[in-house]
Each structure stands twice: as structure tokens, then as C-alpha cells.
Amino acid sequence: MSNIPIWPGSSSFAQVSASYYDLNIWPPPTPFGFYDSDSQFKTDANKVANFCALRLGYPIENVELQDINFWAGFEEATTIYGNELYAFQTRDNYLSLEGAPTSVDVNDDIVTPTFSTIVRLSQQYGEEAGVGGNVAWLKGRLPLIPGQQRYDLAAWAEAEGIVGGIEIKNVYYQSPPAISQLYSPALLTGQGGLGGVPPAGLYGFGYGSATYLMMPTSFTMQNMQAIEMQNQVTLSNYSFNIVDNIISVFPIPGTGVFTDGDGGLDYGIYLVFDFIKIQDRIDAAFANGTNKISNTSNVPYINPTYSKINSIGRAWIFEYTLARAKDALGLVRNKYSSIPIPGSDVTLNGDNLVSSAATERDALITRLREYFDQTSRQALLERRQAESVARVAEINQVPMTIYIG
Amino acid sequence: MALYGGARDISMFRRVNRELMGSIISEEVIYYKYNVTTTKTNMYGESVEGRNFADPVMLFALVEVGGTTSPVSDLGVDFSWPLTFKFLRDDLLSKLNEANQGQPFNTYQQPNIQYGASLHPEVGDVINYQNGYWEVDNTNATQFFMGKDPQYPYYDADGDNPLNTGLENFGYNVGIECICHYVPSDRLNIINSRM
């Protein structure tokens, strides 16, 4: 094989680009061709190749690279700049981006923060508190059997065709409210008290059975408190507990005075409770994300438009291109630890180039990330707040004059 | 097929050697190839009117300078100064050889290769170095990178190597050493006609 050409001192991106895209002559100017059609990229490609070659020692020394090596580094540097930029943008705005259509033009759009994701993230708390959320609370009705204290809720759920179990949120098993005992249950017109314990009778605390006299509210409250105290002292306490899907109710149903027409027990009483289906809770974690931004990988950022990158960004790209070129040159010179020369061998500076390039790349990435972080929304608001505080402190230095009107 | 020491690597080596010997060290010598056909000899095969040489060729070389000595013999005091000249073998090949051919740089720059002396060092040749002359006593061309000389791909009559193909593209015969002794200029038919 004849000698492989190396950097001759100049390049023509336009010519190589034309030969590849118009005449299909290998090689392409850049590996991916992301920016090959950008006129400013074309112009800067030659300049940055020359810049890198000069920084690497040309023309004093040979630079064993070709123009396409420099351009590959240039393309990579531009792409990495875009990656860092848009990764930062994604981090800064992801709460507002998640769930948005993947068709949005995030490269050029101005993203305004919204509460959409915050509200969605908070739904779980509302669901747990029973004041909203994304899991339905359902009502359950368990028939109470006279004399039976323990009931298997898992069996009930299975009988109801519920798969995956239930989670009890509320159990409505409590003593009748005092208000139901305030009026006499014996009113023949059926407009008396709500019944319940104690046994029906002319109970009516102070309001009679057929007619009553409107009393001051303080009097009514006293009566209700008296009823509650009476029930607490003289009657069974309504309570329950749930252990391993078994709910035990206190007092045992059927020990009260609910009777049917024949004087027997009233079988039409039920234990009512709120529950959620556990599967509903699991399912609530997922929503259809088709054509929507569902993770950081499908935020529709695309490579940047080189001509729109400002001088700050371009300077970074040039420096990063140089680091990549240095790395490539180091790898070329470092493939063999020593190069044979007549009667001996020499060691080139590949090691130094590679390590130096790695250090420079890391420093450049760190510098770029710090720069972006300093322009994050949070950082800018903090800076603005600090400026405001400083401004007030500055104004306070102005001597206060005494106004004489 | 071999894996390392391919033609691209060798191209890199060649370039580094030429940069090192040509641009950095830049040690030049003038090589006088002994011309057998024009040298008149007696019945014993000895030259009679002095030796004839081909036109001189300027080459880059790495010179290993030995120490001077003045051995005393029955004939008197002599002078000895051994030198070893090391040449990049590719520089001695023909300009038409692949090693001395360049590839166009993409589509817009043509190569500019200036090497290719078409010279085969042999015993009896003379090398001019710093106004002194050294006659070649021995040559040594056994420095092979990766232990392979691409001149020997071991092809059979059909041009195939059943075990390894393409061996002509691997390995490198790096240089040629010329081990020389000092020769007084009055013993040579060489006159320095130009500065």
C-alpha cells in the first residue's frame, strides 16, 4: 500500500462534501452528516481543522491526521454540546414536559412550567386521604348474621368477583347518633326518631312524641351530650378490628332489638365499608403514553442547528474538537509502544496526548455543565433573590432625611 | 492473515522515520555506488585505473560514529575510523515502488513524494560523510518489524498461501546498515568538483 496521506496544511470541506453528496465518492466529510448542510458549519470546519493542526504542532511537525479526522471531532463536539445543552434543558423542564405530545418542537419552544405533573404526582396523597386521587373508593356491603362476630373480607371480595384483594378504608360500624334518639320513635305518623337502641318506647328526650316545643339550641346540645354519655355508660360500645382479612365487630350483631314483624331478628342489617381494589391502585400507576413524552429518552430534542449556536458555544466546540483531535492523534501514535527506525526504535508522545486529551475533555464537560447549571431556572431565581436583597441593602445605605412638611 | 503491522501501520512508520531522519535529525550523506561495469580490472579481478562509481546520491542516514584509532604495524602508523550508516530501506527503493508513492489527499491535493534512490548497498560502495570517505565492508538488512518481511509472502505457484493470505501487506523491513571503514580520498577516483 502506498503512503497514507496526512494533514497537508489546508482542507476544503465544501469540495469533499460535494464529491460525496453529488458524486457519491467516499469518504463522507463527517461520519454522521448531522451538520453537513449547514453553511456555517462548512465554513468553520476548515477553520477548526486548521486551528487544531496548528495547536498540535503543524507545520513544525507532522500531524498524522487527515481533514476527516478533524471534521469528525468537530461534528462530535457539536453533537456533545447539543447533548449537554438539551440534557440540561430536559432536567430543568421535565416536570413540564412529561405527558406532552412528542410532536412538540422543544428545540425552539420556550417551556413554561406548569402544575400538570405536580398535580398528577400529588394524586396519590389525595387518594390515600379520600379527597380525590386516581383510585376509586368503592362501597362494600357485608350482610351481618345474628350471633356472628367474625367475617372474612377476603371471601367477601372473592364472592364479589374482585381479583387482587381489597384494602379497607372506612368501616361504618358505630352507634346510632344521638340525634336519632332525641325524638320519640313512637310517633304514629312515622316522623319520629330514627329508632335504634335503646328499645322503642316513649324515649324522646324532652321533645315529646307528637308535638314538641322548639327549645334553645343550647338545650338541644345538652340533651344530645346526655344521650351520648348515657349510651356510653349503659350500652355496648360499637367497635371493630381487622386482623388478616377477618373483621370482628362489637357488639355481636343480633343482640340488639332489631326485630322483624314476627318478633324475630332483623336480618336486613349490613356492615357498610369503603374499600379500594388493590389492582386499581397498581393500575393507577400507569397511563397510556403513546405519542407522549414518557421518559427522558423520548423528549423530542434533536441535534442543534450549528448556525444558531452563539460564539460562547462555538468556542467551546472548537476547544472540544481540539481535545478530540489530540486524542485521535495520540491513539495513532500510541498503537505501538515504539516505532522502529533503522537500527533502533523511538517512542512517540501518544501517551501524553491521550492523557492530556482526556483531562481537557473532562474539564470542558465540567465547565459546560457548570455554565448550564448556573443558568437553570432555580439558579436564576436564587440569583435574582440575592440581587434583590443586595439592592435593598444598598438602598438602605442612603441617608434618611427628615421630611418637614 | 496477520493482524498487526499492516500496510497502514507501516505507512505511519515510514512517515515518522522520514520526519525523524529528514526533518528532525537531518543527517545527510552522499552515497557512491561502485560501478562494476565501467571499472577496468586486471587478470586477477583487481581494478587497475581506480574504481568507477555511479553518480552520487544524497541520502538521509543515521550515523553511528566509532572511535578513531591509530594502529601501528610493520608498515607504520595507520588510521582507523569505523562508522555505521543506517538507511531507511524504503528510501533506497525505486521511486516507482509503492513505498514511495503517495495517495491523493481526498480529491483536492496530489501527493508530493520525493524519495526513491533505486540503490542497493553492497560491499565496496563508498559513502561521503563530512568530507571523509568510508567504504562499505558489510551490509545488514535484518531488522523486521513483527518479525516479518513483506517480500516473502510464501505464495505457491498459484499465488496462494493456504495458511495465510495477504502476507505481503504485513511486516516491515525497516532499514539497511552499512558497516564501513575509513578510506583516504587519494585511494578513490572521486574528486569533489562542486561545493
Side-chain angles (χ1 to χ4, degrees):
Chain A
M1 178 182 279
S2 54
N3 293 286
I4 310 296
I6 61 171
W7 175 249
S10 64
S11 63
S12 174
F13 189 93
Q15 197 165 342
V16 177
S17 180
S19 72
Y20 177 73
Y21 290 110
D22 299 341
L23 306 174
N24 201 25
I25 298 174
W26 193 265
T30 59
F32 297 101
F34 291 149
Y35 318 101
D36 288 356
S37 60
D38 191 307
S39 60
Q40 293 194 35
F41 184 87
K42 288 181 180 178
T43 304
D44 281 356
N46 296 322
K47 294 177 181 175
V48 79
N50 192 40
F51 161 72
C52 292
L54 293 177
R55 290 284 299 272
L56 290 171
Y58 188 87
I60 304 299
E61 294 175 356
N62 281 343
V63 175
E64 292 86 10
L65 295 176
Q66 298 186 353
D67 49 8
I68 53 176
N69 296 117
F70 293 121
W71 297 338
F74 188 37
E75 182 186 57
E76 181 186 345
T78 306
T79 304
I80 287 181
Y81 179 83
N83 289 347
E84 290 293 328
L85 171 64
Y86 295 137
F88 159 75
Q89 288 286 85
T90 301
R91 284 195 302 272
D92 212 29
N93 294 306
Y94 190 71
L95 286 177
S96 303
L97 291 171
E98 194 174 49
T102 52
S103 57
V104 295
D105 179 15
V106 285
N107 271 59
D108 295 321
D109 283 351
I110 297 172
V111 179
T112 303
T114 72
F115 272 123
S116 62
T117 302
I118 299 295
V119 170
R120 185 163 52 79
L121 290 175
S122 304
Q123 283 182 332
Q124 55 188 323
Y125 303 106
E127 170 259 310
E128 195 64 18
V131 290
N134 49 4
V135 179
W137 280 35
L138 304 172
K139 288 279 188 199
R141 205 170 68 146
L142 182 68
L144 292 179
I145 300 170
Q148 180 176 335
Q149 186 178 26
R150 292 157 57 85
Y151 298 87
D152 188 345
L153 291 170
W156 175 85
E158 190 175 345
E160 293 289 323
I162 298 171
V163 178
I166 61 173
E167 185 179 310
I168 303 296
K169 307 301 288 188
N170 270 331
V171 175
Y172 299 100
Y173 190 71
Q174 50 198 261
S175 58
I179 190 69
S180 67
Q181 296 169 266
L182 192 61
Y183 305 106
S184 168
L187 184 60
L188 296 178
T189 57
Q191 297 176 359
L194 298 176
V197 291
L202 299 178
Y203 209 76
F205 285 89
Y207 288 98
S209 58
T211 58
Y212 59 88
L213 182 66
M214 175 66 78
M215 302 298 286
T217 303
S218 60
F219 178 80
T220 302
M221 296 301 295
Q222 284 177 353
N223 277 331
M224 289 174 64
Q225 289 175 0
I227 293 169
E228 287 173 354
M229 181 64 74
Q230 174 75 11
N231 289 346
Q232 192 172 353
V233 171
T234 60
L235 300 179
S236 300
N237 187 28
Y238 280 73
S239 181
F240 66 91
N241 69 17
I242 301 175
V243 177
D244 192 20
N245 296 328
I246 302 297
I247 183 169
S248 301
V249 295
F250 306 91
I252 300 172
T255 56
V257 294
F258 296 99
T259 57
D260 58 11
D262 300 329
L265 293 171
D266 183 358
Y267 297 103
I269 55 177
Y270 297 90
L271 178 69
V272 177
F273 51 88
D274 294 330
F275 71 98
I276 62 172
K277 297 176 183 177
I278 292 176
Q279 189 60 44
D280 284 356
R281 195 197 285 277
I282 296 171
D283 292 344
F286 304 99
N288 184 6
T290 307
N291 298 325
K292 292 178 180 176
I293 296 171
S294 58
N295 57 63
T296 53
S297 74
N298 63 6
V299 179
Y301 281 110
I302 58 176
N303 285 316
T305 303
Y306 180 80
S307 56
K308 291 182 180 177
I309 297 174
N310 61 14
S311 64
I312 300 171
R314 289 191 196 186
W316 186 93
I317 289 171
F318 298 158
E319 291 288 336
Y320 198 87
T321 306
L322 173 61
R324 293 306 300 173
K326 189 178 285 187
D327 188 50
L329 183 60
L331 293 175
V332 167
R333 290 182 179 173
N334 208 28
K335 179 175 178 181
Y336 299 100
S337 58
S338 61
I339 302 291
I341 63 172
S344 183
D345 52 51
V346 295
T347 301
L348 302 183
N349 62 342
D351 280 338
N352 286 341
L353 286 170
V354 170
S355 61
S356 167
T359 304
E360 287 177 15
R361 283 202 314 274
D362 290 345
L364 283 166
I365 291 289
T366 302
R367 190 179 87 189
L368 188 64
R369 287 179 181 170
E370 286 177 355
Y371 171 62
F372 287 149
D373 286 342
Q374 286 167 359
T375 59
S376 70
R377 191 173 291 112
Q378 177 186 359
L380 291 177
L381 289 173
E382 288 173 355
R383 178 188 294 267
R384 190 176 174 83
Q385 182 189 23
E387 281 181 6
S388 176
V389 171
R391 192 182 308 115
V392 170
E394 186 73 14
I395 290 173
N396 285 342
Q397 300 300 315
V398 177
M400 290 185 170
T401 56
I402 298 173
Y403 175 74
I404 301 174
Chain B
M1 188 182 74
L3 190 59
Y4 290 101
R8 288 181 183 275
D9 297 340
I10 303 310
S11 172
M12 162 78 176
F13 295 168
R14 186 182 301 121
R15 194 176 299 282
V16 170
N17 269 280
R18 283 178 171 159
E19 183 184 16
L20 182 70
M21 297 173 70
S23 304
I24 298 175
I25 298 175
S26 298
E27 191 79 78
E28 291 178 334
V29 300
I30 300 167
Y31 199 99
Y32 291 90
K33 178 69 184 168
Y34 178 45
N35 194 334
V36 178
T37 57
T38 59
T39 299
K40 294 180 179 177
T41 57
N42 59 21
M43 60 183 296
Y44 304 107
E46 299 167 334
S47 63
V48 289
E49 295 175 352
R51 287 181 286 173
N52 285 355
F53 297 93
D55 289 341
V57 177
M58 186 172 279
L59 295 169
F60 291 114
L62 299 175
V63 184
E64 188 178 319
V65 182
T68 58
T69 56
S70 301
V72 179
S73 66
D74 295 341
L75 300 176
V77 180
D78 203 353
F79 178 71
S80 174
W81 190 3
L83 258 66
T84 301
F85 298 91
K86 300 169 184 175
F87 301 101
L88 184 67
R89 185 175 175 277
D90 288 340
D91 287 356
L92 307 179
L93 300 176
S94 163
K95 285 184 184 295
L96 300 177
N97 189 283
E98 269 193 330
N100 294 321
Q101 295 292 305
Q103 290 180 342
F105 193 82
N106 284 329
T107 58
Y108 51 91
Q109 284 201 346
Q110 295 302 313
N112 182 21
I113 301 293
Q114 56 190 357
Y115 298 93
S118 292
L119 191 106
H120 183 226
E122 290 176 297
V123 174
D125 296 344
V126 170
I127 299 170
N128 178 212
Y129 171 65
Q130 293 183 349
N131 287 335
Y133 293 91
W134 278 262
E135 184 174 335
V136 177
D137 293 331
N138 196 7
T139 61
N140 186 4
T142 57
Q143 186 185 357
F144 304 130
F145 181 68
M146 291 289 181
K148 284 195 286 292
D149 186 344
Q151 278 191 314
Y152 300 96
Y154 296 108
Y155 286 156
D156 60 16
D158 298 327
D160 298 324
N161 182 329
L163 298 179
N164 277 296
T165 59
L167 282 183
E168 72 276 12
N169 294 318
F170 291 88
Y172 189 34
N173 190 348
V174 182
I176 295 179
E177 291 182 353
C178 293
I179 300 149
C180 306
H181 71 276
Y182 178 77
V183 182
S185 58
D186 58 353
R187 293 189 195 170
L188 301 170
N189 269 348
I190 299 173
I191 298 172
N192 191 4
S193 59
R194 287 184 292 274
M195 292 299 293

